[in-house]
Amino acid sequence: MEKKVEHRIAYLGSSSMRCALGNSTENVFERIMRYESGVKDGFAHTEQHYESIEALAIPCIDEVLENSDVSLATPDTLLILSTTKGNVQLLEKGGAGDGGLRGAGDGGLRGVPEDVFLGVTANKIASHFNAANKPLVISNACISGVSAIIVAQRLVADGTYNNVVVVGADILCPFIVEGFRSFKSLDSNRCKPYDTMRSGLNLGEGCGTVLVTSFADKAVQPVVTVCGGSISNDANHISGPSRTGDGLYFAMKKAVENSGITFDDISFLNMHGTATAYNDDMESKAVNLAGLNDVPLNGLKSYLGHTLGASGVIEVVLAAEQMRRGIVFGTLGYENNGVACPLNVCGEHRLVGGARGTCGERAGGERGSGDGMGAGAAGSERRGSVGMGAGVAGSERRGSRDVCEGAAGGAGGSAGVAGDVRGSGEGMWGVRYALKTASGFGGCNAAVVLAECGGVSEGAVQGNDGGMQRTDEDTGECGGHVRDSSGYPFASCQTGGYRTDECALQNDDSCREVVNEQKIGADSPTLRKGTSLETERIFCGSPAVRKSVSLPSAGARPNFDEFIREKYHGLGQPNLKFFKMDNLAKLGYVAAAELLDDYDFEPSEIGIVLSNHSASLDTDIRHQRVLTSPAVFVYTLPNVTAGEICIHHHIMGENTFFIDASPEFIERYARSLIESGELKAVIFGEVELFKENYYANLKLLCL
C-alpha cells in the first residue's frame, strides 16, 4: 500500500562552544585560521575551569537558545545531551563521610554522589531551562556527539520535534586521563594525525552546542543541512579498531545512501583523527574502501584535543563553518603520510571551489594557469576529465577509482581560484557535501553527511563575517598560497563538489531528503509545523516483536555471580573472553544469546538499541579504585556491552546506548530503524546493573 508522507529538512542553526581554543564558535574558528592549538603539555583544557558538566553546558545552551529565539519550555523542542563520562570526577570525592571512593573498603558502593548519574545531570540542565520534554542522553563512547546529531536529524525529519538542541560535553579528570594512560595511547606533545611521526592522542575537554531545526529561517547562513547519517559496529574488538576499516566504511556508505547521494558527491572529509597508530590506519582503509582517497580530508584534534562526548558536536559545527566559507582546515602538524592508504591531507588550510579535483600533500607548488594542473603537482592527476577551472557549476565525475601512487595531483587551475569565492561567478562554494565520521571503544562508528545549500548573503560573498575573497593579486608572500581578506595563508586547491546560484531550497532536490520505497508503520509520529517536503514511501507492513527475554525470571533475585555462571554455562557456547567482561556486559551477553538462539541475520541487517539508568557506574567505581587497569577502563563505557554482543553475534548495524530513555521511546526508535529501511531487525531494551540490582529486558523486533 503506497502512502505519501512528509519528511522534513533538518537545518543547522545557531551554535556555541567552550574548549581550549575559546568560548565561541567564531573565536575557535578564527584561532584555527591562525594555526593556533589549545594543546599544552599533551592536554587541551578549557580556558576556564568548570566544576561540573552543568556549569560547562548551560552557558552554551543559553547562547544557542537566545540566538535562535527557541525555548526548551515548548513541547516541540527537545534537548539531547551527548557525554561519555558526565560528572565522573565526583567519584573522587564520594559521599559525605566517605573520604573518597578510591581504595574504599566496600568497593566504593557507599555514598555514591547522585550527580554522577548521567540522567540526573541531564535533568538538572533541562530543569534550568524549564524544559517541557525529558532530555535524551546518549553515551556511545567517542561517537556520542555524532550519534546525537544523527538522532536529532531523525527526530526533526520525521516530525517528532521541530527543534532539537544537541549539547556534547565532557570534563577531564584523573579518572579519564589515567584510563587512557593505561592504554599507553597519550602523546605528551601535540598530536599529529595521519603523520608518520604520530604517537598518540591529546585528551581535551569542552562543550559544543548546536540547534537542529525544521525551520529554514532559523538556519545559519549560508544554509547547511544534516542530510542523513548512520551508526555501525566493527564486530571485531572492544578496544581496538577494525584492521580492515569495514565497520567505518559501512557507516559511511549507509550515511551517503541515506542522504540520497553517492561517494562521488562528497567533497570534504572530517575524520576522527585521534593520531593513534591503529585508529588513523583504520580510517585510511575505510576511506580507501569508499574510493575517497583523493578527497580533501582533515582531523582537528591537534587544535582542540579529543574532547570525547563533545568532539562530534564541536567538529560537526566546525565542518559546517568550513563549508560556509569554502575552505578545508589544515591538519595541524601533518607533514608526511603515515597511514596504510594514501589520504589527501594537508598541513595548511585550503580554499576550495568548482569541480572536485586533487591536491598534493601540501597543495603542490604554485597554482597552474588556465584549466591545467598546478605547476608544483606531485604525482599524477588521475581524473576522468581535467575540467579544473572556472568554478565549474557541475559535478566533475571521477573516471577511475584506483589510488594514485605517492602524493596525488597538484594545486588546481587558477581560473577557479581567481575572482571572488564563486570562482568565475557561475558557481558558489566548492564544498557541497561533507562527510563527518567518528569511531570509539566498543567497535562503534558513526558517519553523518552535511550539505551546503546556499542562501549565502551578499556580505558573505564579499568576505564579511568570515567570508573569503580570492583574487589573483592577493597571494601575499606565501608563494603558491592564497590569502583571504584577513591575510591568512591557504594552500590553493581546486577541489570539492559544486553548487549553483540557483539553489532554492524549496525547489532544489539536492536540498531534500529523498526517501523512496521505505517502510513506514501505522504508528509513525504526528508531524508538527515546520519546513517539510513530501516523499513517497511504500508501506510493507510493520515490524513486530518476535521474541523477548527477561533476566532474572520472576521471583527472588539470586546472587549475581552464581546466576551469571549458571546462565553462561547453560548457553553451551564456550567463549574464553566471557569471564574477562564486566558484569554489565556479561548480563547483556547472556540475554542477547537467549534472544537470538533461533534467529540469524546478515551482519548489516541487525542492530542494537539499549538503555539503562546507571550507565557503567558499577565498573566506574572499580576503575576509580585503581585507575591503572586498561581491562577495567574499557568497560567504563556502557555501549561496550552492545559491543560484546556485536562481536559474539557478528552484528554490524546500528548500536546506540541511551541513558534513562523510556521503554516507549526505545521501542519507537527501534521501529523507526526498520521502517526507514536502515535495518531488518533490532535488539532493543534495558540492561541494568548497579550494586545488587540487576536485570535485562530485551526484545527482538523484525518484520
Side-chain angles (χ1 to χ4, degrees):
M1 166 176 159
E2 192 172 297
K3 289 187 177 182
K4 287 192 181 238
V5 297
E6 293 190 48
H7 195 71
R8 307 186 306 173
I9 299 167
Y11 301 96
L12 283 179
S14 178
S15 67
S16 181
M17 60 183 66
R18 303 283 188 276
C19 66
L21 276 184
N23 292 329
S24 71
T25 301
E26 294 76 15
N27 185 213
V28 172
F29 186 91
E30 285 297 316
R31 292 184 68 180
I32 291 177
M33 293 289 288
R34 295 194 293 267
Y35 298 97
E36 295 183 30
S37 172
V39 177
K40 295 178 176 60
D41 300 322
F43 296 95
H45 292 278
T46 51
E47 294 181 336
Q48 174 185 341
H49 175 68
Y50 294 94
E51 293 287 344
S52 68
I53 292 294
E54 300 94 310
L56 177 59
I58 286 173
C60 285
I61 299 170
D62 200 35
E63 289 172 14
V64 167
L65 295 176
E66 182 177 351
N67 293 336
S68 307
D69 192 25
V70 167
S71 172
L72 284 168
T74 59
D76 69 339
T77 303
L78 176 71
L79 176 69
I80 297 181
L81 172 63
S82 154
T83 186
T84 60
K85 296 314 304 172
N87 287 317
V88 75
Q89 75 281 357
L90 297 177
L91 285 182
E92 298 175 29
K93 302 175 182 179
D98 191 31
L101 296 177
R102 188 175 183 183
D106 62 356
L109 297 179
R110 173 168 46 93
V112 175
E114 180 186 46
D115 288 351
V116 81
F117 288 89
L118 302 183
V120 171
T121 298
N123 288 334
K124 285 191 172 184
I125 295 171
S127 295
H128 178 85
F129 295 100
N130 298 312
N133 296 299
K134 180 181 178 181
L136 271 183
V137 183
I138 295 177
S139 188
N140 234 37
C142 298
I143 73 167
S144 296
V146 178
S147 296
I149 296 289
I150 293 170
V151 171
Q153 183 268 340
R154 290 170 177 169
L155 293 175
V156 167
D158 70 12
T160 305
Y161 297 98
N162 284 335
N163 307 296
V164 179
V165 177
V166 179
V167 56
D170 267 306
I171 296 173
L172 288 183
C173 63
F175 181 103
I176 294 170
V177 172
E178 296 307 319
F180 276 94
R181 199 190 306 278
S182 71
F183 272 97
K184 303 188 186 319
S185 59
L186 300 181
D187 191 339
S188 59
N189 300 307
R190 190 181 68 204
C191 68
K192 304 183 73 172
Y194 310 110
D195 193 76
T196 53
M197 301 302 291
R198 72 187 189 280
S199 58
L201 60 84
N202 300 142
L203 287 171
E205 60 185 356
C207 176
T209 306
V210 66
L211 174 69
V212 180
T213 179
S214 64
F215 296 108
D217 60 358
K218 296 187 185 300
V220 171
Q221 300 289 324
V223 172
V224 173
T225 66
V226 185
C227 292
S230 186
I231 300 165
S232 70
N233 197 282
D234 293 337
N236 174 67
H237 198 278
I238 58 170
S239 62
S242 163
R243 298 302 175 92
T244 65
D246 60 342
L248 177 57
Y249 164 71
F250 175 66
M252 295 165 66
K253 182 174 183 290
K254 290 287 288 185
V256 165
E257 291 173 351
N258 291 344
S259 301
I261 62 174
T262 70
F263 281 128
D264 281 332
D265 296 306
I266 298 297
S267 47
F268 158 46
L269 297 167
N270 173 240
M271 307 294 283
H272 200 45
T274 60
T276 56
Y278 292 133
N279 176 83
D280 289 12
D281 256 7
M282 180 275 291
E283 289 185 4
S284 77
K285 293 172 183 177
V287 169
N288 185 55
L289 288 171
L292 296 173
N293 306 73
D294 56 346
V295 173
L297 176 152
N298 65 17
L300 302 182
K301 291 179 174 60
S302 47
Y303 297 103
L304 308 167
H306 187 349
T307 54
L308 306 173
S311 66
V313 182
I314 290 174
E315 292 174 17
V316 163
V317 168
L318 291 174
E321 290 302 313
Q322 291 170 78
M323 297 174 76
R324 292 181 178 115
R325 291 161 168 85
I327 69 169
V328 174
F329 288 144
T331 299
L332 190 63
Y334 176 85
E335 295 180 8
N336 299 294
N337 179 57
V339 290
C341 299
L343 299 174
N344 188 353
V345 186
C346 185
E348 301 169 39
H349 307 324
R350 290 178 278 184
L351 291 166
V352 296
R356 204 174 62 176
T358 53
C359 297
E361 288 188 25
R362 300 184 68 81
E366 300 188 359
R367 289 177 291 146
S369 59
D371 47 10
M373 297 303 296
S380 62
E381 200 277 6
R382 49 93 177 168
R383 295 287 181 148
S385 69
V386 176
M388 298 298 292
V392 184
S395 177
E396 184 263 322
R397 298 293 179 177
R398 288 175 289 167
S400 169
R401 298 300 285 261
D402 40 310
V403 179
C404 296
E405 295 296 326
S414 66
V417 175
D420 66 15
V421 293
R422 293 175 291 176
S424 68
E426 296 302 319
M428 211 177 261
W429 302 111
V431 182
R432 181 63 183 281
Y433 292 102
L435 183 61
K436 163 65 188 163
T437 73
S439 300
F441 280 168
C444 56
N445 307 285
V448 65
V449 174
L450 307 179
E452 194 279 304
C453 288
V456 64
S457 65
E458 184 65 19
V461 170
Q462 297 304 320
N464 296 334
D465 300 322
M468 303 298 171
Q469 288 182 311
R470 288 186 262 190
T471 65
D472 285 323
E473 292 81 14
D474 189 17
T475 56
E477 298 177 355
C478 54
H481 297 140
V482 179
R483 292 182 184 273
D484 81 326
S485 55
S486 302
Y488 301 126
F490 292 85
S492 165
C493 171
Q494 256 326 81
T495 188
Y498 71 96
R499 70 164 321 287
T500 71
D501 281 330
E502 308 300 326
C503 181
L505 289 178
Q506 65 270 29
N507 296 321
D508 185 355
D509 287 340
S510 68
C511 301
R512 300 170 181 241
E513 294 286 349
V514 181
V515 188
N516 292 319
E517 298 184 355
Q518 302 270 327
K519 306 179 188 71
I520 182 165
D523 58 346
S524 296
T526 301
L527 287 163
R528 305 183 183 185
K529 183 179 179 182
T531 305
S532 62
L533 54 97
E534 195 175 68
T535 59
E536 293 186 9
R537 292 184 177 182
I538 306 289
F539 177 76
C540 295
S542 293
V545 173
R546 304 299 179 184
K547 189 175 180 180
S548 61
V549 170
S550 292
L551 299 176
S553 55
R557 182 171 281 110
N559 172 274
F560 179 79
D561 289 337
E562 296 174 359
F563 166 80
I564 206 68
R565 279 196 298 270
E566 179 183 348
K567 281 293 178 183
Y568 166 70
H569 290 302
L571 294 175
Q573 302 172 9
N575 183 348
L576 295 177
K577 295 183 178 180
F578 179 80
F579 289 103
K580 295 182 179 180
M581 300 178 193
D582 79 335
N583 288 341
L584 183 68
K586 290 175 183 175
L587 181 59
Y589 179 98
V590 297
E594 290 192 14
L595 193 69
L596 294 175
D597 187 39
D598 302 321
Y599 290 87
D600 188 27
F601 299 93
E602 291 297 316
S604 62
E605 294 178 346
I606 182 170
I608 304 175
V609 179
L610 299 178
S611 179
N612 72 8
H613 172 64
S614 65
S616 54
L617 188 53
D618 200 69
T619 298
D620 293 350
I621 292 168
R622 289 180 58 208
H623 173 66
Q624 183 63 47
R625 292 171 58 204
V626 295
L627 293 180
T628 57
S629 170
V632 175
F633 179 66
V634 71
Y635 289 101
T636 62
L637 297 160
N639 69 290
V640 172
T641 294
E644 291 285 17
I645 297 170
C646 286
I647 292 169
H648 183 63
H649 298 282
H650 204 55
I651 295 171
M652 298 186 72
E654 171 154 343
N655 53 120
T656 298
F657 207 108
F658 295 95
I659 304 299
D660 276 345
S662 69
E664 294 77 17
F665 172 82
I666 293 297
E667 180 167 354
R668 188 165 66 248
Y669 185 80
R671 286 183 179 277
S672 73
L673 294 175
I674 296 176
E675 291 166 352
S676 68
E678 181 80 7
L679 298 170
K680 292 185 178 179
V682 179
I683 298 169
F684 73 93
E686 298 177 272
V687 181
E688 175 64 76
L689 188 145
F690 183 60
K691 298 187 179 182
E692 299 304 317
N693 180 43
Y694 68 92
Y695 62 88
N697 296 317
L698 297 185
K699 297 179 181 181
L700 177 64
L701 186 73
C702 55
L703 290 172

